[in-house]
Amino acid sequence: MKLITFETGGVLAAGYIDGEDAVTCAAGEAARRAVLGAIEGGIEALNAWKSGGGRRIPLADVRLKAPVPEPLRDIFCVGKNYYAHAAEFHSSGFDSSAREAVPSHPVIFTKATTSVCGPGDVVRGSLDFTNSTDYEGELGVVIGKRGFQVSKEDAYDHVFGYVTVNDVTSRILQKNHNQWVIGKGIDTFCPMGPWIATADEINGDFGDVRELELVTEINGEERQRVKVADLIFDIPTLIETMTRTMTLLPGDIIATGTPVGVGIGFDPPKYLKAGDTMRVSITGLGTLQNTIG
């Protein structure tokens, strides 16, 4: 099942994709938190949506938004979680996180909820006064069940589904402030979407989330391509690590890290500029496209 939040006729709505249609399950102000409510409600909520018989609208006639426009909490993010990217970033001169190129433990930081925007939205690169805006295509894991001290063996039981995320970053702010929140939490610097695919759909279609492939293109030029299987710290490890000391809640989103090919890895760096188009595609999760403004 693919859950969406969208706009039609100037009205915000939420529901799911069925074939070439968007099926409306909530509209108006209630739609703002409807997908989050469905995640919290689990299988019973999803079954209620399926049996509700909401209005059907051709997907071509709606504008998709971030599936969770207002996340419950900041987006949890993982740094340096693909081997080649860890080396790329460490050698760039911008890595203030550690002396080691490949981390021995997951590097965790957050992006503010106000950084979230949706497919087609303009990412406000003008807010980065250092002119060092960069892209990071990533797989997002959506938590479906409250979890504390979750083992690796039980971790996937806590996953609701998956979503495409672009961890847009001001590299100079990231470096100057050592901790990464300011450089990564800029308004609109977390495009997300176009939908959340439930875990059972991904597993049913592709066998395993590790088989998904991520591709990032900038102005039509391929910059990143990787299989999720290449993560240094896999999804169960991330969930076990994070819940060892803190509780994950339904609706929490974990951006699992970006592969090699970011702008800072080039010599000279290929920073984004106004008018540039970013496209992040992940198998089964559609394409997230945004323009730099």
Side-chain angles (χ1 to χ4, degrees):
M1 191 171 181
K2 297 181 177 73
L3 279 62
I4 54 174
T5 298
F6 58 98
E7 193 175 272
T8 177
V11 176
L12 191 67
Y16 62 95
I17 294 174
D18 184 18
E20 297 300 316
D21 293 337
V23 180
T24 304
C25 299
E29 193 59 30
R32 199 168 298 280
R33 289 179 56 85
V35 169
L36 183 58
I39 295 168
E40 294 170 338
I43 190 66
E44 291 183 2
L46 296 183
N47 287 338
W49 274 23
K50 289 179 182 178
S51 62
R55 178 187 174 206
R56 303 177 72 93
I57 307 168
L59 277 172
D61 295 339
V62 308
R63 182 187 173 194
L64 295 175
K65 311 287 282 185
V68 181
E70 297 177 357
L72 186 66
R73 301 198 289 186
D74 285 4
I75 310 304
F76 295 102
C77 304
V78 186
K80 298 166 59 174
N81 202 22
Y82 288 93
Y83 287 101
H85 171 65
E88 163 189 66
F89 185 56
H90 187 71
S91 64
S92 71
F94 281 72
D95 185 5
S96 60
S97 66
R99 293 184 179 180
E100 55 188 1
V102 177
S104 54
H105 302 280
V107 177
I108 308 294
F109 60 94
T110 67
K111 292 175 78 80
T113 59
T114 49
S115 68
V116 172
C117 67
D121 287 344
V122 173
V123 172
R124 298 176 63 189
S126 59
L127 293 177
D128 175 15
F129 55 87
T130 70
N131 298 313
S132 62
T133 302
D134 205 349
Y135 54 89
E136 295 191 6
E138 308 197 11
L139 172 72
V141 177
V142 183
I143 298 299
K145 186 169 69 173
R146 184 185 184 99
F148 178 67
Q149 296 187 342
V150 178
S151 68
K152 289 182 186 179
E153 292 74 21
D154 295 334
Y156 280 121
D157 293 340
H158 291 260
V159 174
F160 176 85
Y162 304 96
V163 64
T164 303
V165 175
N166 187 347
D167 176 18
V168 182
T169 303
S170 166
R171 292 301 183 194
I172 291 177
L173 289 179
Q174 179 186 23
K175 180 182 180 182
N176 286 351
H177 292 275
N178 293 321
Q179 296 292 332
W180 297 350
V181 173
I182 289 179
K184 288 175 172 285
I186 298 171
D187 283 5
T188 72
F189 271 41
C190 189
M192 184 187 304
W195 56 72
I196 293 171
T198 54
D200 64 324
E201 172 155 325
I202 292 299
N203 294 335
D205 288 348
F206 307 103
D208 192 312
V209 66
R210 292 173 295 183
E211 293 302 311
L212 303 189
E213 185 174 58
L214 179 151
V215 178
T216 302
E217 299 170 285
I218 305 299
N219 299 325
E221 176 191 359
E222 183 177 305
R223 298 280 184 86
Q224 298 180 295
R225 181 181 290 269
V226 75
K227 280 279 190 75
V228 172
D230 292 338
L231 285 169
I232 298 173
F233 303 106
D234 62 11
I235 292 166
T237 299
L238 296 177
I239 291 174
E240 181 182 71
T241 299
M242 294 175 68
T243 63
R244 188 170 294 141
T245 55
M246 61 179 284
T247 301
L248 287 177
L249 302 175
D252 281 342
I253 299 165
I254 303 170
T256 55
T258 201
V260 68
V262 296
I264 195 62
F266 292 88
D267 186 15
K270 293 184 177 182
Y271 293 133
L272 297 166
K273 60 185 184 301
D276 283 350
T277 298
M278 306 176 288
R279 287 171 54 92
V280 184
S281 303
I282 300 179
T283 317
L285 300 178
T287 297
L288 174 63
Q289 179 168 311
N290 298 87
T291 301
I292 298 293

